[in-house]
Amino acid sequence: MKKRSLLAWLAGLLFLLLSGALLTLPISPGSLAGASVEALARSGVGNPVTAVLLNYRAYDTLLEVGVLLLVVIGVWSLRECDAQRVDTSEWILLLPLLRLVLPVLVLVGGYFLWIGSALPGGAFQGGAMIGGALVLAISAGLLHRVLEHQGKLRAGLAMGLAVFVAVAAGTAAVNGQILHYPQASAGLWILLVEAAALISIGLTLGALFYGGRPPQGSAQSPAREFDRE
Amino acid sequence: MVGGRLKGRHSLRPGSSTVNEIAFRLYLLAGASLVAIGFFGILASAELLRKILGVNIMGSGIFLILVALAARTTDPIPDPVPHAMVLTGIVVSVCGTALALALADRVRAMKAREMLDEEEEE
């Protein structure tokens, strides 16, 4: 108990020190906002955050997409997921509702990807929507339906990094600089990389939610009885 | 000194107002308190789940601080670099949490096995 109160005091002290430091910071004249807006016309996109993510500092983002794949590999090697069938036949509203909601969520994810070139949005936000759709589907007992497509699932998980690395290698081969897109087609290259990253991010978030590698042999299971149509 | 900075920001940033100034500080203070709460959460309990939640809360506080600090500029728009870092950071932190949870589950399973082994020896 005494230790806890000491800790609480320490946390309070941390708050005071941190807020004191933050509130007395001077406004910085050396921000990168000006530079990022100046180069925006040459970046291929109209949203400075997307330009930072996929053009100016695309190398960072490449490594982050790699981190996502590494995490999935890590989680899959630690655990096997619980792919037990859930009997959803009692929930008469859930599956029809999901039939409506899931495609809309995927559509919204794609919309986020598309508007990311000009407005707040992009692969990470769109990926979160697709991840949410997967979480919803898995929570509704449809994990076995996801695991039916294991080949596609694995390919999709790796696709973001694979496309990103391929584009990096291509740009390195063409003009000697990694992820230095040709200016005229920069927007297209960014869209290509983002579209692949969107799918990988969405699938990664969904795969992490069910928390383990698919059990052996689940790919062959028929798992058709809940398919009413 | 604070008053002087308020004036300075007024004259330099056309979009800023006193309300924005207050919001900016509230963001920073909220972020700092989340960091402190997370710090307490990490150290106050030996349970791994609580520690993982504490790291998450602390991370959220840091994201909040970074997003707010992007406005600390004389340019008309906030600095997009911290915003981009937070954007990827959120997804990476979710993944980090998932890995931490999988590891915590493994630790629990191994502890349970250890206890079983001990019982068998007795």
Side-chain angles (χ1 to χ4, degrees):
Chain A
M1 211 58 223
K2 213 171 174 190
K3 215 176 112 195
R4 268 177 89 87
S5 62
L6 180 70
L7 257 180
W9 282 108
L10 265 178
L13 186 68
L14 178 69
F15 169 73
L16 286 180
L17 282 175
L18 198 57
S19 46
L22 288 170
L23 291 179
T24 51
L25 277 172
I27 57 163
S28 92
S31 132
L32 290 167
S36 61
V37 172
E38 246 168 62
L40 205 55
R42 287 179 284 127
S43 73
V45 288
N47 174 8
V49 176
T50 309
V52 170
L53 274 178
L54 286 142
N55 199 332
Y56 315 146
R57 294 171 68 98
Y59 187 54
D60 266 15
T61 313
L62 167 69
L63 294 179
E64 266 145 7
V65 173
V67 167
L68 300 191
L69 185 61
L70 270 181
V71 166
V72 173
I73 294 171
V75 170
W76 279 22
S77 46
L78 281 169
R79 298 181 78 234
E80 189 173 272
C81 74
D82 178 23
Q84 247 184 4
R85 290 292 173 69
V86 185
D87 183 10
T88 49
S89 57
E90 299 273 302
W91 311 341
I92 47 172
L93 276 177
L94 184 66
L95 289 188
L97 181 70
L98 282 185
R99 279 203 188 97
L100 279 175
V101 170
L102 292 185
V104 172
L105 281 177
V106 174
L107 198 65
V108 172
Y111 172 72
F112 272 140
L113 171 76
W114 183 253
I115 61 163
S117 65
L119 294 164
F124 286 87
Q125 291 92 327
M129 294 304 293
I130 292 178
L134 271 171
V135 167
L136 204 55
I138 294 166
S139 308
L142 296 174
L143 177 58
H144 59 279
R145 298 295 302 275
V146 178
L147 295 181
E148 269 172 48
H149 308 283
Q150 266 199 53
K152 283 180 207 159
L153 178 65
R154 282 161 201 258
L157 284 169
M159 191 166 80
L161 186 64
V163 170
F164 220 143
V165 168
V167 169
T171 47
V174 169
N175 52 29
Q177 277 169 304
I178 290 173
L179 292 170
H180 196 100
Y181 313 115
Q183 204 180 312
S185 57
L188 270 179
W189 289 111
I190 288 175
L191 187 65
L192 174 73
V193 168
E194 268 204 304
L198 169 89
I199 292 170
S200 283
I201 292 166
L203 289 178
T204 302
L205 293 175
L208 292 178
F209 180 74
Y210 69 72
R213 68 183 169 276
Q216 292 292 318
S218 70
Q220 290 89 8
S221 69
R224 284 281 169 207
E225 59 255 51
F226 301 124
D227 205 2
R228 305 254 187 101
E229 281 154 11
Chain B
M1 187 199 124
V2 171
R5 257 177 59 224
L6 274 173
K7 265 184 214 149
R9 287 175 67 88
H10 262 297
S11 57
L12 290 166
R13 292 188 55 198
S16 72
S17 62
T18 321
V19 175
N20 278 357
E21 281 302 320
I22 294 170
F24 176 68
R25 283 189 188 140
L26 276 179
Y27 270 106
L28 291 179
L29 288 177
S33 46
L34 281 178
V35 170
I37 292 168
F39 172 80
F40 180 79
I42 293 169
L43 294 177
S45 167
E47 265 177 71
L48 284 176
L49 189 60
R50 281 173 190 268
K51 285 181 193 290
I52 293 168
L53 284 175
V55 172
N56 258 286
I57 294 169
M58 212 168 175
S60 303
I62 288 163
F63 291 149
L64 205 53
I65 290 171
L66 264 177
V67 166
L69 284 185
R72 200 172 55 96
T73 165
T74 52
D75 292 304
I77 63 157
D79 192 343
V81 177
H83 282 188
M85 289 199 300
V86 169
L87 196 55
T88 55
I90 288 170
V91 174
V92 170
S93 83
V94 168
C95 293
T97 304
L99 188 59
L101 286 173
L103 282 168
D105 181 68
R106 187 58 174 270
V107 167
R108 202 188 51 180
M110 289 180 82
K111 265 189 186 163
R113 196 182 305 157
E114 221 167 72
M115 281 167 68
L116 277 179
D117 288 348
E118 276 169 19
E119 273 172 27
E120 271 169 24
E121 275 168 28
E122 285 166 15

